[in-house]
Amino acid sequence: MSYLKDTPLGRSSDFIDEYTPSLLCPVPRWDARESLELEDTTLPFHGMDIWNAYELSWLNEKGKPQVALAELIVPCTSPNIIESKSLKLYLNSFANSRFDSRDRVVAVIAKDLAEVAGAPVDVRVMTLREAEREPAWEEHGQLVDTLDVTFDHFEYRPELLLTDQGPEQTGVLVSHLLRSHCPVTNQPDWGTVQVRYTGRPISPASFLRYVVSLRNHQGFHEQIIEQVFVDLQHQCAPRQLSVYGRFTRRGGLDINPFRSNYEDTPANRRTIRQ
């Protein structure tokens, strides 16, 4: 991962509070996808990475501080992901810079992120009152965490995924026990994973064991969700498949990757831990 040597991840960084777009750092998606035996021209999914930024502030024309939340949607077909610490530093650099309107802030962020990601990025900036009205996560599907299951494996084991006997069905499996590790800092990342599928019944107990096997696995959020998608496809062969990860925030940001071979953009609904 030599491409990470120029990023601020895992290193001390100066705090810059004047608008500085050069703080943003790209991370190529291709490097992780090689290990999944994926090619950009034949991806088995479409989707996006939905970011929520909780630490955004700037000055209006009169110098009055403004605070807001931002929603950033990066297509999974972009050549690069945006390194999360660099995004945190970049957003904090707005703090003592003047912008004449919220629309101007949106336009600036969208332009800067698109240049780093290599693809258009949708940006929405909300006041706190607007954000209050956003709907929260609602539990849909089978929560596998309540199953009485014995665990023997805490290292990545995709072969744990199994299907049950029975006709094709449409199902939803949910677990809040997803944990993985940052490949640079080795810090834990916590999240919720939701799987929607049509195909042979996926064994809920096997899915739970598989999720727990990721507990010490390394990968960025986007890479982990793509790994789950590919593993489910290889091991269980559903005809339709969506995988949605909702990770808890770090550094004022949460990242929520969505990958599907049949659904469009999901609702950006925050879980209780976000």
Side-chain angles (χ1 to χ4, degrees):
M1 292 183 294
S2 59
Y3 56 87
L4 292 173
K5 68 180 186 304
D6 296 324
T7 74
L9 194 59
R11 300 186 297 174
S12 61
S13 304
D14 294 332
F15 180 74
I16 299 174
D17 57 4
E18 292 285 349
Y19 169 62
T20 309
S22 61
L23 289 167
L24 290 166
C25 294
V27 175
R29 292 189 191 270
W30 173 251
D31 295 73
R33 286 176 176 168
E34 280 189 312
S35 66
L36 298 178
E37 299 181 357
L38 299 180
E39 298 179 6
D40 285 335
T41 56
T42 57
L43 291 178
F45 49 70
H46 55 262
M48 66 290 300
D49 307 321
I50 304 172
W51 297 62
N52 293 306
Y54 301 93
E55 299 176 3
L56 176 60
S57 180
W58 66 92
L59 305 178
N60 69 10
E61 290 178 300
K62 297 181 179 180
K64 182 180 179 180
Q66 310 293 297
V67 294
L69 275 67
E71 177 190 85
L72 318 169
I73 300 181
V74 184
C76 75
T77 51
S78 67
N80 304 313
I81 63 175
I82 301 166
E83 192 278 307
S84 60
K85 185 175 179 181
S86 79
L87 180 59
K88 169 188 169 65
L89 296 173
Y90 163 76
L91 293 176
N92 274 302
S93 79
F94 280 69
N96 285 325
S97 295
R98 297 187 185 225
F99 294 89
D100 58 14
S101 67
R102 180 183 5 172
D103 288 344
R104 178 58 183 158
V105 173
V106 170
V108 167
I109 294 175
K111 174 181 177 295
D112 292 341
L113 297 189
E115 289 179 357
V116 175
V121 175
D122 292 333
V123 177
R124 183 165 65 122
V125 172
M126 295 169 281
T127 66
L128 301 190
R129 285 191 175 181
E130 289 169 344
E132 282 179 352
R133 295 194 288 269
E134 292 293 296
W137 174 274
E138 294 179 358
E139 203 73 79
H140 293 294
Q142 180 178 358
L143 181 64
V144 299
D145 303 349
T146 60
L147 297 174
D148 186 12
V149 175
T150 299
F151 298 93
D152 300 313
H153 302 287
F154 299 95
E155 299 299 330
Y156 171 59
R157 294 280 298 275
E159 65 272 19
L160 292 171
L161 288 166
L162 303 170
T163 55
D164 290 331
Q165 296 295 320
E168 179 177 284
Q169 69 174 36
T170 296
V172 182
L173 301 174
V174 179
S175 177
H176 300 298
L177 301 186
L178 180 62
R179 190 189 87 150
S180 55
H181 286 265
C182 172
V184 178
T185 65
N186 203 38
Q187 292 297 306
D189 294 315
W190 307 86
T192 292
V193 59
Q194 180 190 68
V195 170
R196 303 170 64 88
Y197 74 95
T198 298
R200 292 183 59 189
I202 298 173
S203 163
S206 79
F207 177 67
L208 176 57
R209 289 191 177 97
Y210 167 74
V211 169
V212 172
S213 85
L214 292 165
R215 193 167 181 81
N216 298 304
H217 193 55
Q218 291 192 335
F220 293 120
H221 301 66
E222 300 90 338
Q223 297 164 356
I224 292 295
I225 295 306
E226 291 186 0
Q227 185 77 66
V228 174
F229 185 100
V230 169
D231 290 342
L232 282 165
Q233 194 174 60
H234 286 171
Q235 300 297 131
C236 303
R239 180 166 55 84
Q240 294 180 322
L241 177 63
S242 295
V243 180
Y244 192 12
R246 300 286 311 187
F247 286 86
T248 60
R249 73 182 75 171
R250 190 197 292 182
L253 299 164
D254 64 48
I255 308 172
N256 308 283
F258 175 76
R259 303 292 184 267
S260 178
N261 62 12
Y262 77 104
E263 290 187 292
D264 294 325
T265 307
N268 182 17
R269 295 172 177 260
R270 282 185 279 160
T271 67
I272 189 65
R273 293 188 293 173
Q274 294 180 309

